[in-house]
Amino acid sequence: MSQVHAINTTGDRGGLPQRVHLREVGPRDGFQNEPEVLATADKVALIEALARSGITRLEVTSFVRAEVIPQLADAAQVLRTLELPDAVSVSVLIPNERGLEQALLVRERFDEVNVFLSASEAHNRHNVNRSVDQSLDGIGRLLARAGDAGLRRQGTIATAFGCPYEGRVEPRRVFEIARALRDAGCEEIAFGDTTGMANPLQVADFFGGARAALGEQVELTAHFHNTRGQGLANVFAALQAGVTSFESSFGELGGCPSGGPDGQPATGNIATEDLVSMLHEMGVETGIDLDRLLDATRTVRDLLGRPLGSHVLTAGPVAWSAPRPA
Ligand code: ZN
């Protein structure tokens, strides 16, 4: 297990939580948005390697139509083949009822569903060709069926901090959508900075308001993108606002396929290695072994055959015992 350091002048953690939950979303958010299609056996080996690093929450795939996202056409096969410790909670992304039906054929192979919509009308229309209210209706039916199947339910709200089409998204509107998801059965709600528009002050305000608007029962998760290099700063702001659940992607894989009005993808989940390194250096526990995590990331880098965005993958973990550079 990697050493956890608490390097600051006072020896405390500045009010930060002692421990946080991380969900690794690279096998879904990453593989879905990278141009290459990895072989099923490679995906399975990577997911198992991620679990060996101590990650206990994994979003492994999505049940989407193969014509739309060929990268994830093997969702059922991935789930059937995976061998993971019982401690790992396996999540799948469900876009619609057809996807849920497909997923329920392998119900015994996963634990959680993640359903999603955008907070802004324009992004939601662009992404799923529905209004936000229409999406909420459909999601309500999905969540009811998933609940009947005994699945834990997560709802993700994209463009929660800003929309590439509409600009500012009012937190009040985001909380209204979040309450609808909570009332429809979500135990956890993730707020996505889908195109990397959030800044740390905004994040601090947002999560201060979110807890008050949503009560103590629902888990609030932050899903930041590093599109403009502010991903980890936003994590720090969220930590200070009391958030203890985060999502990230190994190697900084993935992003958003329908990012901006110009059609350019807004790449850049925050890299799990960078997130884990920062948290450990601040004395916040994750339960993840950074060296083993880096093994998994090196493997996916070698499979894809190109450099990845992760900083710690390039620099290596902080080595406090190393000699100071001259
Ligand atoms: Zn993402």
Side-chain angles (χ1 to χ4, degrees):
M1 190 60 65
S2 302
Q3 282 297 306
V4 171
H5 306 277
I7 307 293
N8 60 21
T9 51
T10 59
D12 66 25
R13 288 189 310 277
L16 301 184
Q18 180 158 12
R19 190 183 176 92
V20 297
H21 293 291
L22 302 189
R23 181 180 288 105
E24 168 60 47
V25 299
R28 199 283 304 168
D29 196 338
F31 296 168
Q32 168 177 344
N33 292 312
E34 297 296 329
E36 300 89 348
V37 181
L38 289 174
T40 304
D42 288 334
K43 290 180 184 173
V44 167
L46 286 164
I47 295 165
E48 290 174 352
L50 288 164
R52 278 196 298 278
S53 78
I55 290 172
T56 55
R57 288 178 162 186
L58 268 162
E59 187 171 280
V60 300
T61 191
S62 175
F63 282 85
V64 285
R65 293 216 316 274
E67 315 88 85
V68 181
I69 302 180
Q71 291 93 327
L72 301 183
D74 58 357
Q77 193 54 35
V78 167
L79 284 169
R80 280 199 201 94
T81 315
L82 276 177
E83 289 188 41
L84 297 173
D86 288 343
V88 176
S89 189
V90 176
S91 175
V92 299
L93 187 76
I94 300 291
N96 50 39
E97 292 205 59
R98 185 176 177 280
L100 182 60
E101 276 157 25
Q102 298 293 311
L104 289 176
L105 297 176
V106 285
R107 163 65 188 94
E108 72 286 2
R109 304 297 296 169
F110 64 99
D111 309 287
E112 309 181 41
V113 292
N114 180 12
V115 299
F116 64 94
L117 78 170
S118 303
S120 76
E121 292 291 337
H123 194 269
N124 203 59
R125 284 225 177 264
H126 192 269
N127 211 19
V128 295
N129 199 26
R130 288 174 161 200
S131 72
V132 169
D133 284 342
Q134 285 170 330
S135 275
L136 280 173
D137 277 352
I139 283 171
R141 288 191 293 276
L142 285 184
L143 290 171
R145 287 186 64 186
D148 289 344
L151 291 158
R152 187 175 187 272
R153 293 163 288 180
Q154 179 197 14
T156 295
I157 304 177
T159 63
F161 302 90
C163 169
Y165 307 103
E166 295 181 11
R168 189 173 158 76
V169 176
E170 286 301 326
R172 240 179 330 191
R173 176 61 177 148
V174 183
F175 301 155
E176 200 174 84
I177 295 167
R179 270 195 299 270
L181 291 173
R182 179 198 65 188
D183 295 346
C186 284
E187 284 95 349
E188 176 183 350
I189 297 171
F191 299 95
D193 183 23
T194 311
T195 62
M197 293 171 75
N199 70 67
L201 282 180
Q202 176 192 4
V203 165
D205 265 6
F206 180 93
F207 279 107
R211 183 53 79 196
L214 294 163
E216 295 299 321
Q217 295 309 310
V218 63
E219 182 171 25
L220 304 183
T221 294
H223 181 121
F224 293 123
H225 282 189
N226 206 30
T227 320
R228 294 178 176 82
Q230 290 166 206
L232 288 185
N234 288 332
V235 167
F236 185 68
L239 283 167
Q240 287 191 309
V243 174
T244 56
S245 174
F246 295 89
E247 293 184 334
S248 59
S249 177
F250 72 139
E252 208 174 276
L253 293 175
C256 175
S258 57
D262 54 5
Q264 283 296 105
T267 54
N269 286 294
I270 54 173
T272 308
E273 309 80 42
D274 295 354
L275 175 59
V276 167
S277 173
M278 182 180 86
L279 291 167
H280 288 186
E281 291 299 313
M282 296 192 298
V284 179
E285 295 169 27
T286 66
I288 295 168
D289 183 318
L290 182 55
D291 293 321
R292 286 190 176 188
L293 174 60
L294 284 164
D295 287 342
T297 310
R298 273 188 285 272
T299 304
V300 77
R301 179 195 61 195
D302 294 347
L303 280 168
L304 296 175
R306 57 184 163 80
L308 303 178
S310 162
H311 287 73
V312 175
L313 178 65
T314 303
V318 178
W320 286 102
S321 57
R324 284 177 182 278

